[in-house]
Amino acid sequence: MILIVAEHSAGRLVKATLEMVSAARQSGREGPVTLLVLGQNVAAVATEAANYADQVLVGDSAALAEYNAETWAAAAAQIAREGEASTVIIGGSRSGREYAPRVAVKLDAPYLEDAISLKAEGNALTAQRYTYLARVTETVSASGPVVVVTAKPGSFAPAEALAAAGEQYDIDLDLPAVRVIITGRTAEKTSRVALTEADVIVTGGRGVGNPDNFSIYVEGLADAVGAGVGATRAVVDAGWRPYAEQVGQTGKTVQPKAYIALGVSGAVQHLSGMGKSKFIVAINKDAEAPIFKVADYGIVGDVNEIVPALIAASK
C-alpha cells in the first residue's frame, strides 16, 4: 500500500493532505492509497478522508490528542511495517519534517525530502525537488522495500474526491511513553485564510513604506478580495508583521492561484517561496525591480496611489 499520514486541523483535512493523495495517485506505485488519521476524537476527519482514499486507518486515542514527534513516528512506522507499505508519504510541514526522518530510521528506509513530483521507475521511486533557492530542479531516486517521502506543500494539485468512499478501520497502536510534554500553546487569532490554504495571497514588502501603510493597503486589499496576507523577510525583521506571514526561503512556500506583490523588490530568497504561483501580479515604483521578471502582470507606480483604486474597484 501507499501510506499517507493525514494532516488535519479543527476537525477537517488540510489542503496538504489532498496534495499528498494526488502525489500518491501520480506516483505509479502499486497498492491501495491509504490515509492514516491520528489524533483524538477524529471521527469526522476519518469520514472526510474516506472520500479521497481507498482505505482509512484510524488511530483515535487520548495518547494522540497532541502532536508528538516520537508517537507520530512510532505510529506511522508500525502501520507501514504491518501493512507492508511500499511508500510512506508525509507532509512537508514543520511537524512533518520533524518526524519523517524518524520514520525512515525506524523502517531502515531511504528518505526523499521536499518532493515536488513522484514517479515509479521499476523498483525505484524517483522524485524531483528544488535546490539552490528553487533555481535548479534536482532529480533523486531511491529503491528498497519501502521509501519515506515528504511532499513539498503547494507542489501538487489537491485530489478530487472518489466516486465511492473507502473503507474505514480502527487500529491498535503500540505507542512509546511520551518524553516531551507540551505545557502551553498559543495560536494566532485571525479571520483570514491561512497562507498555505489561500487561493489568493497579497504580500507586502518594504516598498509599502511603513507598518500603517501595510495595514491600510496590504490588509485592505486582502480583505477586499478574500485573500491571505504575506510579508517579506525585511518586513518581518523590521517588526511590522509576525513571522507566521513570512514568505520565502526562510518562511513559507506557497503556490496560490494568484499572488499579488505590493512594494516587493523580488529578492531571490523571496522568489524561492512564491515563484511557482499560477499568476503573479507586481506593483512597484521601481521599473527595474526583479519581481517584474517573474510577474505575469506588472504595474510600475506608487503602491500608495494604485492600491486604493484597486480596493475601491474590488468593493
Side-chain angles (χ1 to χ4, degrees), residues 199-258:
D199 287 333
V200 180
I201 294 174
V202 180
T203 290
R206 288 295 292 268
V208 302
N210 56 60
D212 290 338
N213 284 355
F214 195 104
S215 298
I216 295 170
Y217 301 127
V218 180
E219 291 188 278
L221 182 57
D223 290 340
V225 299
V229 171
T232 63
R233 178 171 179 171
V235 164
V236 173
D237 286 349
W240 296 5
R241 307 299 296 180
Y243 173 73
E245 295 178 359
Q246 183 173 318
V247 175
Q249 180 189 9
T250 54
K252 289 183 171 65
T253 298
V254 297
Q255 195 173 358
K257 294 178 180 177

Side-chain angles (χ1 to χ4, degrees), residues 1-4 29-32 34 55 57 76-89 103 107 109 144-148:
M1 68 179 179
I2 303 174
L3 181 66
I4 301 169
R29 289 284 231 189
E30 296 182 355
T34 303
Q55 59 183 3
L57 306 180
Q78 176 188 329
I79 298 305
R81 193 178 295 112
E82 293 177 355
E84 298 182 348
S86 64
T87 313
V88 179
I89 303 179
V103 176
L107 296 175
V146 58
V147 178
V148 178

Side-chain angles (χ1 to χ4, degrees), residues 4-7 16-25 89-91 151:
I4 301 169
V5 185
E7 293 192 2
T17 299
L18 305 187
E19 293 173 1
M20 288 188 281
V21 172
S22 286
R25 294 178 183 173
I89 303 179
I90 296 169

Side-chain angles (χ1 to χ4, degrees), residues 6-14 17 36-40 42 45 72:
E7 293 192 2
H8 54 91
S9 177
R12 296 293 306 273
L13 294 175
V14 302
T17 299
L36 174 61
V37 178
L38 302 175
Q40 185 180 28
V42 291
V45 178
W72 253 247

Side-chain angles (χ1 to χ4, degrees), residues 65-158:
E66 295 283 355
Y67 162 75
N68 177 279
E70 290 184 307
T71 53
W72 253 247
Q78 176 188 329
I79 298 305
R81 193 178 295 112
E82 293 177 355
E84 298 182 348
S86 64
T87 313
V88 179
I89 303 179
I90 296 169
S93 60
R94 183 180 295 271
S95 58
R97 294 176 64 153
E98 179 185 22
Y99 77 87
R102 299 171 186 249
V103 176
V105 169
K106 289 178 181 294
L107 296 175
D108 192 23
Y111 174 47
L112 302 178
E113 186 178 35
D114 273 351
I116 59 171
S117 72
L118 290 175
K119 182 180 180 181
E121 296 184 344
N123 294 326
L125 183 63
T126 298
Q128 289 186 318
R129 63 190 180 194
Y130 297 132
T131 185
Y132 293 106
L133 301 179
R135 289 182 170 181
V136 175
T137 300
E138 181 179 61
T139 301
V140 291
S141 183
S143 59
V146 58
V147 178
V148 178
V149 180
T150 53
K152 188 175 182 65
S155 299
F156 299 89

